[in-house]
Amino acid sequence: MNTLEEPASIEQLRQLARRRLPQQVFDFIDGGADDELALRRNRHELQSAPLVGRALVNVTSIDTTCTIFGKPLAAPLVVAPMGACGLAWPRADVEIARAAASVGIPYVLSTFANTGIEDLADAAEGRLWFQLYPLRDRALRHGLVHRARVAGYEVLVVTVDVPVPGNRERDHSHSRSSLTGLVKNVAGLIWRPRWCWGIACHGLPRFPNAAAGAGAAALAQRAGAQVDATFDWDELARVRDRWPGTLVVKGIQHTNDVQRLASLGMDGIWLSNHGGRQLDAAPGPLSLLQSVTQIQRGHSILIADSGFRRGSEVFKALISGADAVALGRSVLYGAAVAGRAGALHALQIIQRELVQTMAMCGVTHIPAVTSPPCQPTP
Ligand SMILES: Cc1cc2nc3c(=O)[nH]c(=O)nc-3n(C[C@H](O)[C@H](O)[C@H](O)COP(=O)(O)O)c2cc1C
């Protein structure tokens, strides 16, 4: 696809996405909470951590395959759950899930996706996980778990870092109903004909799994308002009772929470600051991994996300103790530019960079990443 011959990096895809999407939609995807400190901290931390190259290793064959929850993955990558992806591209959930399937990694469908649980299972052939927000409406919440199980989703991911909506100021600025704001938003659409055409053909995205029914700017607020602020350890245990399969808890930062989750036998712990969209003071992904791996190694599978835009950064997370890295915006920028082909392109960029980094660090297969050969010696 022509538009995709050019972008060589995720940042270039991001710039193309900025040009294709209405400002309001781009900001919904790109933005963070409060002063966007966590957003910047994630990037700074991942970019600035050094790696020390290794020499004189035969690296003609690099193998990125690995095993997570007893199943093979083509690379230690997962596509993170993202609500309202349909604002970026028509049927984006399906398009991204197909891209993930074609590179052999799982796709996590959000509670606030624009595609129904069963519809995605029918449309995408790959490995599917379902992300559950603990909705206030318990019947709806339990119904989602049941539907995911019946539809054959492999893993349930319970997101616990949205007890209240994050303060996304970019979104607020768009939703202010001043006349100038309104005029600016409508005028901006004139310059986004391809996006408008997509909406004209497919309609505004709906939320078939949860009754969010909101536009881009209000989504975080309305979705957050649907999440049950009383959800606690007892409630998590109830979800565990309803889901006999693999269970992952997403949005964990504190080592006490990690220890408690591990002692409860959770299969996976997903370290995250929600891509800088929730607690603005939260540590970045490498700091989280370093604190957690000091207290637990090998109990639960560790997934890390927030800010990953390069394969070298994925490698840094792996040597810091992650079993896999989840990619959010990196893939969504690609989908915003060219649907499935764009998402695939983004995943291929990250995979190619991961292979290059492994070669330059003298690591030929993923299990060997766990030994720390590539960190600077103190
Ligand atoms: C547009 C958007 C929507 C998101 N929606 C959800 C969601 O519905 N559920 C969830 O658990 N996390 C959601 N997240 C957070 C991602 O799952 C992930 O934690 C985060 O995007 C990782 O950071 P990154 O985008 O810098 O890779 C969303 C993130 C974005 C950018």
Side-chain angles (χ1 to χ4, degrees):
M1 176 162 297
N2 282 346
T3 24
L4 294 174
E5 276 165 19
E6 286 301 315
S9 66
I10 299 299
E11 177 54 28
Q12 287 179 19
L13 278 174
R14 175 175 175 267
Q15 293 306 335
L16 287 176
R18 185 198 285 271
R19 275 192 254 149
R20 185 187 170 273
L21 295 173
Q23 185 70 39
Q24 189 173 358
V25 175
F26 179 78
D27 281 343
F28 165 69
I29 294 169
D30 194 64
D34 297 352
D35 299 309
E36 302 196 334
L37 299 174
L39 197 68
R40 288 195 289 279
R41 190 177 303 114
N42 291 340
R43 293 299 306 128
H44 176 73
E45 195 175 83
L46 287 166
Q47 285 179 308
S48 61
L51 287 171
V52 181
R54 298 298 299 265
L56 300 167
V57 180
N58 179 349
V59 290
T60 46
S61 169
I62 301 284
D63 181 2
T64 61
T65 58
C66 61
T67 301
I68 302 279
F69 304 128
K71 301 227 166 126
L73 259 62
L77 298 171
V78 174
V79 179
M82 285 174 287
C85 287
L87 288 166
W89 189 271
R91 287 169 55 82
D93 303 303
V94 174
E95 301 302 320
I96 301 174
R98 287 179 172 162
S102 66
V103 296
I105 64 167
Y107 176 76
V108 190
L109 184 75
S110 162
T111 295
F112 293 115
N114 302 123
T115 305
I117 292 173
E118 298 78 6
D119 291 344
L120 187 75
D122 288 343
E125 284 181 351
R127 313 240 328 247
L128 298 178
W129 300 4
F130 180 69
Q131 176 265 329
L132 179 77
Y133 272 124
L135 301 175
R136 276 173 207 268
D137 181 336
R138 289 184 192 191
L140 185 58
R141 185 202 298 174
H142 296 153
L144 292 176
V145 175
H146 177 72
R147 285 170 57 192
R149 185 144 62 106
V150 172
Y153 283 67
E154 279 176 18
V155 174
L156 183 70
V157 176
V158 184
T159 298
V160 294
D161 59 358
V162 187
V164 291
N167 177 34
R168 319 255 171 86
E169 294 189 359
R170 290 201 220 179
D171 290 351
H172 299 323
S173 67
H174 290 298
S175 63
R176 269 182 219 127
S177 56
S178 73
L179 190 60
T180 37
L182 192 69
V183 171
K184 226 173 100 186
N185 283 340
V186 173
L189 292 180
I190 294 167
W191 306 106
R192 302 293 185 266
R194 282 204 315 147
W195 184 86
C196 291
W197 180 247
I199 293 291
C201 294
H202 297 269
L204 275 170
R206 294 176 314 106
F207 297 88
N209 303 315
L219 183 82
Q221 294 301 315
R222 297 215 201 149
Q226 282 197 58
V227 175
D228 185 357
T230 68
F231 190 82
D232 60 8
W233 292 96
D234 292 339
E235 290 287 339
L236 180 64
R238 272 175 218 131
V239 176
R240 169 79 284 181
D241 292 343
R242 284 171 186 273
W243 181 267
T246 304
L247 189 71
V248 174
V249 183
K250 173 175 184 282
I252 296 301
Q253 295 171 9
H254 202 287
T255 51
N256 289 0
D257 292 343
V258 171
Q259 275 171 320
R260 190 158 172 185
L261 287 168
S263 72
L264 290 173
M266 293 299 157
D267 304 290
I269 297 174
W270 187 320
L271 303 175
S272 174
N273 61 31
H274 215 99
R277 294 163 81 83
Q278 285 296 117
L279 180 66
D280 199 24
L286 296 184
S287 306
L288 288 174
L289 278 165
Q290 277 147 17
S291 59
V292 166
T293 48
Q294 273 169 16
I295 58 151
Q296 88 116 35
R297 222 174 230 287
H299 297 304
S300 312
I301 293 291
L302 278 184
I303 299 171
D305 78 11
S306 296
F308 291 86
R309 305 287 180 266
R310 291 260 180 213
S312 57
E313 296 163 2
V314 171
F315 186 80
K316 290 174 190 180
L318 299 177
I319 64 173
S320 303
D323 294 289
V325 165
L327 302 169
R329 295 179 186 87
S330 290
V331 183
L332 193 50
Y333 295 137
V337 174
R340 187 191 326 177
L344 180 62
H345 190 72
L347 289 167
Q348 287 169 338
I349 288 173
I350 302 266
Q351 255 180 329
R352 188 188 64 231
E353 291 175 348
L354 175 61
V355 168
Q356 285 167 338
T357 307
M358 287 173 68
M360 287 185 276
C361 290
V363 176
T364 56
H365 54 291
I366 295 295
V369 176
T370 46
S371 53
C374 307
Q375 278 167 326
T377 35

